[in-house]
Amino acid sequence: MIKINENYNKLQASYLFSDIAKRVNSFQEQNPDKEIIKLGIGDVTKSLPKACIEAFHKAVDEMDNDSSFRGYGPEQGYDFLREVIAIEDFQSRGADIQADEIFISDGAKCDSGNIQELFSDDIKVAITDPVYPVYLDTNVMAGRSGFYKDGRYEGITYLDTTKENGFVPQLPTEPVDLIYLCFPNNPTGSTISKDELKKWVDYARENKALILYDAAYEAFITDDSLPKSIYEIEGAKEVAIEFRSFSKTAGFTGTRCAFTVVPKECMGYDAEGNKQGLHCLWNRRHCTKFNGVSYPVQKAAEAVYSSEGKKQVKETIDYYMNNAKIIRDEITKLGFDCVGGENSPYIWIDGKKGSWEFFDMLLNEAGVVCTPGAGFGSCGQGYIRISAFNSYENVIEAMGRISKIFS
Ligand code: PLP
């Protein structure tokens, strides 16, 4: 008899995006002439930078010739990409990360979901609330939680991120082994200072814990005092793995390219308490289960770091950040508290009523779609997330319609 992994039965079906779609479809049926503006999505709307497209085309042409054709590449990624990442993303900011500590992949979603395979089933996992759901669900699938009860999984340590703590979680009051942090945060858009992040690094060093740091939105950081990488914090290389992605940085959501940094000093422990390098384990896992990102896609990603690429990436990020500012300013003018939108593409708004109630109001009265915060965890109740990933014209129109409701 083929038995299933019953941990999957503990998972709560995610109705968030299907519920949104149902409400939007029903509104559209009743209001066929109303143009709906979607400010709920976490997907980018602007095309790939020209420099990436050119490099992509050129690499595809190389595949058309026996002498330049590439078959299987190194599972960890081509050196040309790993080397430029190490220099541009880390060494340039004083973080001593080497090219062979970088693993190229097809997404931060799969890497942040798969990494937990390296750890024992009986570790204690700490996850923020609200949260990007991948961290939580993959640990539930692996059996590191109990059942879902009163809006939370038993056995998981939840780190509340609320207005009271400035949307930056406090250190846990019970011992934990694996800590998921994401800054700039999805969904709240909040950021963490170097001093705050250092507290987590120190905690992990003192407790032999590990931090999984998701920096998928680092490109949106405009305040240079904020850390873009956890490795800007002293000692982090011993206790942190970092996830990065070209998805939001350079519009690769459909093209797929990301990377994970596992420093050689980063350690786990066996049952006897002996140190074991996580770099070796992830290398083994990656080579066994993954066959590399395609050559043209890695060439396109390399172009992100060319001088033209950098300029074009900046233009796109600036475009989204201008949208974010418009949203933030308008929402603040209307008297709502919000966080995010200054160093992140998301604005997290206290709607002063239930998340879905606020969602329905924006949809029915303004034809604007947002994301109800309750879908990201119980601390998201009362909040909505608005995303800056849309055209300037749509953002202006949407914010005009929203202000009409309240004026
Ligand atoms: N991490 C966070 C926090 C995200 O919000 C997302 C996508 O929305 C991802 C990772 C996924 O990135 P990728 O497209 O590289 O899989």
Side-chain angles (χ1 to χ4, degrees), residues 42 106-110 112 132 135 182 186 214 216-217 244-248 253 256-258 346:
D106 60 357
K109 182 178 192 175
C110 34
S112 62
Y132 175 58
Y135 320 143
C182 171
N186 177 15
D214 188 338
Y217 295 93
R244 291 276 188 108
S245 174
F246 293 99
S247 282
K248 311 297 160 83
T253 50
R256 311 303 302 145
C257 196
Y346 299 125

Side-chain angles (χ1 to χ4, degrees), residues 197-257:
L197 191 52
K198 183 167 186 317
K199 288 185 195 163
W200 285 95
V201 170
D202 292 346
Y203 173 92
R205 292 175 82 186
E206 280 156 24
N207 294 279
K208 295 186 175 165
L210 182 78
I211 300 169
L212 298 177
Y213 193 73
D214 188 338
Y217 295 93
E218 59 74 30
F220 295 85
I221 292 179
T222 47
D223 176 350
D224 211 42
S225 71
L226 296 172
K228 286 186 164 234
S229 164
I230 194 166
Y231 305 119
E232 291 173 40
I233 310 298
E234 200 197 326
K237 280 173 73 182
E238 295 158 32
V239 290
I241 287 174
E242 181 165 305
F243 305 103
R244 291 276 188 108
S245 174
F246 293 99
S247 282
K248 311 297 160 83
T249 305
F252 275 61
T253 50
T255 307
R256 311 303 302 145
C257 196

Side-chain angles (χ1 to χ4, degrees), residues 37-39 327 330 362 366-369 386 390 392-405:
I37 302 176
K38 294 186 176 163
L39 294 182
I327 297 166
E330 204 55 51
L362 293 191
V368 173
V369 182
I386 290 193
N390 212 310
Y392 168 78
E393 292 74 17
N394 277 349
V395 167
I396 293 286
E397 169 69 20
M399 297 323 291
R401 290 189 202 170
I402 292 173
S403 13
K404 262 196 207 140
I405 307 179

Side-chain angles (χ1 to χ4, degrees), residues 303-324:
V304 164
Y305 301 96
S306 65
S307 55
E308 278 306 298
K310 280 184 193 166
K311 217 170 83 197
Q312 292 158 6
V313 164
K314 186 173 180 315
E315 274 163 19
T316 303
I317 300 276
D318 287 351
Y319 181 91
Y320 291 133
M321 291 310 289
N322 184 47
N323 286 348

